[in-house]
Amino acid sequence: MNEIDDIKARVAQACRVLGALELAKGATGHASARLPGTDRIFVRARGPGELGVRFTTPDQVVEVRPDGRMVTPSERGLESPLEVFIHTSVYKARPEVNGVVHVHPTHVVLFTICNKPLLPLYGAYDPASAKLAISGIPTYPRSILCDTPERGEELARTLGGSNCCMMRGHGITSAGISVEEAAMTAIQLNDLAEVNYKAALLGDPQPIPQDEQDFITGITDKAVAAPPGSAPSGRTGALWRYYQSLTDGDGKAK
Ligand SMILES: [Zn+2]
């Protein structure tokens, strides 16, 4: 498989995982990857020729230019997403980022609607998602589509140097060194919101103490050196293989 086929297959796989976990409903949402060291961007296409996030196949992933236009017009009804500028703007602002995810997970959106923060309610239960709450998650305050370069840049400014941001009444955007990393951050953010939501239903959720937050922040993954943009390895790679196994080639839950 050449590197273009490989990157399209990985973007499609990330979409199928996000669909299977119901972070993306129907046709709304997209993942993308940048070919490291280039301005070549590959994103899930929208339009009459697509099958929805959960059923994304590599041939539904298209290359777009930094201005958001498709490199090769599709003859089968595939179009650049309206919000392609989320992807192009984040890549422009963040040279180290090679993967971006934009989806509309309901639990996270509920918190943006109610202006409630996502609290660090747990620690060792799931350190990766706890760290998101501890470090703080920026929120883009507008519920409009990011369908112009200017709005994409506005969103990228809100994201700043973070690996995810919430979008009021809309969804989330996550960014990572690979499309898999961006997808896993989206999953973690959704998990965090789900626990916050259920805890609020039960009673009076309290953040864990500061010293325990510091402990969780100090946990570092044993990173395995890998080329920029490559699929994750080590423990992160094992976790991604678990998520991959939730879908088969057609994106159906097994
Ligand atoms: Zn959106």
Side-chain angles (χ1 to χ4, degrees):
M1 190 183 284
N2 68 37
E3 61 181 359
I4 304 304
D5 289 342
D6 179 60
I7 209 163
K8 286 183 172 182
R10 288 169 55 200
V11 169
Q13 176 72 71
C15 290
R16 292 199 299 275
V17 167
L18 294 164
L21 294 176
E22 299 190 337
L23 269 77
K25 288 197 180 70
T28 51
H30 17 83
S32 72
R34 168 163 60 185
L35 195 62
T38 74
D39 56 9
R40 300 185 68 180
I41 298 165
F42 298 84
V43 65
R44 185 183 98 79
R46 296 294 315 269
E50 58 146 316
L51 296 174
V53 182
R54 188 165 174 173
F55 303 102
T56 305
T57 47
D59 61 352
Q60 296 168 54
V61 176
V62 297
E63 182 175 0
V64 295
R65 303 178 200 279
D67 66 5
R69 286 183 303 147
M70 280 170 64
V71 170
T72 310
S74 168
E75 295 174 355
R76 23 186 303 256
L78 296 174
E79 298 157 1
S80 183
L82 286 175
E83 297 190 289
V84 69
F85 303 104
I86 292 174
H87 302 264
T88 55
S89 300
V90 171
Y91 288 126
K92 189 175 166 193
R94 299 274 297 274
E96 85 285 10
V97 163
N98 287 307
V100 173
V101 163
H102 169 61
V103 284
H104 301 173
T106 306
H107 282 102
V108 184
V109 172
L110 286 171
F111 281 82
T112 69
I113 293 170
C114 299
N115 280 327
K116 287 190 181 296
L118 289 172
L119 301 172
L121 300 179
Y122 53 79
Y125 168 75
D126 183 2
S129 65
K131 282 181 186 178
L132 297 178
I134 293 168
S135 61
I137 304 155
T139 301
Y140 181 69
R142 308 176 78 188
S143 303
I144 54 171
L145 286 170
C146 290
D147 58 354
T148 65
E150 294 72 25
R151 290 173 188 159
E153 285 165 19
E154 206 172 57
L155 186 275
R157 278 197 295 277
T158 298
L159 179 68
S162 301
N163 56 1
C164 61
C165 72
M166 302 189 282
M167 302 159 77
R168 182 180 164 78
H170 183 171
I172 67 167
T173 294
S174 61
I177 56 172
S178 65
V179 66
E180 293 88 353
E181 296 268 1
M184 284 192 280
T185 297
I187 293 166
Q188 290 157 7
L189 180 54
N190 187 57
D191 289 345
L192 176 71
E194 204 169 323
V195 171
N196 267 259
Y197 176 72
K198 288 177 178 171
L201 287 181
L202 264 182
D204 182 25
Q206 298 295 320
I208 61 172
Q210 187 60 51
D211 64 320
E212 295 177 12
Q213 293 185 32
D214 294 343
F215 178 91
I216 296 298
T217 302
I219 298 174
T220 52
D221 297 327
K222 285 181 183 150
V224 178
S230 61
S233 53
R235 285 189 180 195
T236 312
L239 180 59
W240 183 248
R241 283 196 299 280
Y242 161 75
Y243 287 126
Q244 277 183 287
S245 72
L246 298 178
T247 65
D248 61 22
D250 297 324
K252 292 171 186 161
K254 280 183 177 172

